Amino acid sequence: MLVMHSVSVGTLLGNFIIVTGSFLTLMILIRIFAWSKITGIFDDRAKQISDDLAKAEEARVKAEGYVSEQEQVLKDSRLEASQIIGQANARAAHDKEAILTQAKEEAQSIKDKAREDAEAIKVEAVESAKEEIAALAIDLAERILVHKLNETERETLVDRYLDRLGEN
């Protein structure tokens, strides 16, 4: 068994040396021929990840700027809407006052016209009454001149005259 053991240790040691040598040779060949490509792939990947992170950060900053810009636009829009409503209310109040003033002026004009018309009718009625009174006076005078009236006839004539005045 001893012999087997020594052969096996020797074989084992030989195998170890061959495997180690192969491994070292493989590592040297990888270092010479493939190491730059492997590290280049890792570097490219790291650069791509870094660029993606930078783009993501830039997009986040841009989105935050856009959000704040939209908030400002919304705030400005609300302010402008408030101003427009205020102006519309002021314009409506002004228009209301103008309409009320115009209505009052028209009502006063109608009153003045009615007053003038009533005054004209009154003047016309007075003129008409004067004409009738004058006509009656002339008629009475003609009758008095045509007849010499006695006291009774005169009273009767004056009473009739006064009755005719009351009828008109």
Side-chain angles (χ1 to χ4, degrees):
M1 274 250 218
L2 252 183
V3 175
M4 270 205 199
H5 189 290
S6 67
V7 173
S8 152
V9 173
T11 308
L12 199 65
L13 186 60
N15 285 341
F16 179 73
I17 291 174
I18 290 175
V19 169
T20 305
S22 297
F23 180 73
L24 287 175
T25 305
L26 182 62
M27 290 306 283
I28 290 171
L29 289 174
I30 288 175
R31 176 78 175 149
I32 292 172
F33 295 108
W35 189 256
S36 63
K37 290 181 182 177
I38 293 171
T39 56
I41 290 171
F42 289 136
D43 288 343
D44 289 346
R45 182 70 180 139
K47 185 177 182 308
Q48 183 180 4
I49 290 171
S50 175
D51 290 347
D52 288 347
L53 288 174
K55 286 179 184 176
E57 179 64 22
E58 183 180 319
R60 184 189 65 78
V61 168
K62 189 183 277 186
E64 286 177 355
Y66 183 72
V67 165
S68 100
E69 180 182 317
Q70 291 304 312
E71 287 174 350
Q72 184 62 39
V73 167
L74 182 60
K75 184 179 177 183
D76 292 346
S77 295
R78 285 182 181 155
L79 180 64
E80 185 177 345
S82 175
Q83 289 174 344
I84 288 170
I85 290 171
Q87 290 172 351
N89 286 338
R91 210 173 302 124
H94 178 266
D95 290 349
K96 175 185 171 187
E97 288 299 320
I99 290 169
L100 287 175
T101 301
Q102 183 181 3
K104 287 178 184 176
E105 288 173 358
E106 287 178 6
Q108 187 61 43
S109 173
I110 291 170
K111 284 181 185 177
D112 292 345
K113 177 73 172 139
R115 193 174 295 121
E116 288 172 4
D117 290 346
E119 189 65 33
I121 291 171
K122 179 181 171 185
V123 166
E124 189 177 310
V126 167
E127 286 299 318
S128 175
K130 282 181 184 178
E131 287 175 10
E132 285 186 34
I133 291 172
L136 287 174
I138 290 173
D139 185 39
L140 182 63
E142 284 176 350
R143 287 185 186 186
I144 290 174
L145 290 177
V146 170
H147 299 68
K148 186 152 182 149
L149 302 174
N150 63 23
E151 189 65 32
T152 317
E153 288 177 333
R154 215 178 323 150
E155 284 179 16
T156 306
L157 190 60
V158 169
D159 286 340
R160 264 194 328 193
Y161 174 72
L162 291 176
D163 287 341
R164 285 179 71 186
L165 274 178
E167 291 174 4
N168 292 327

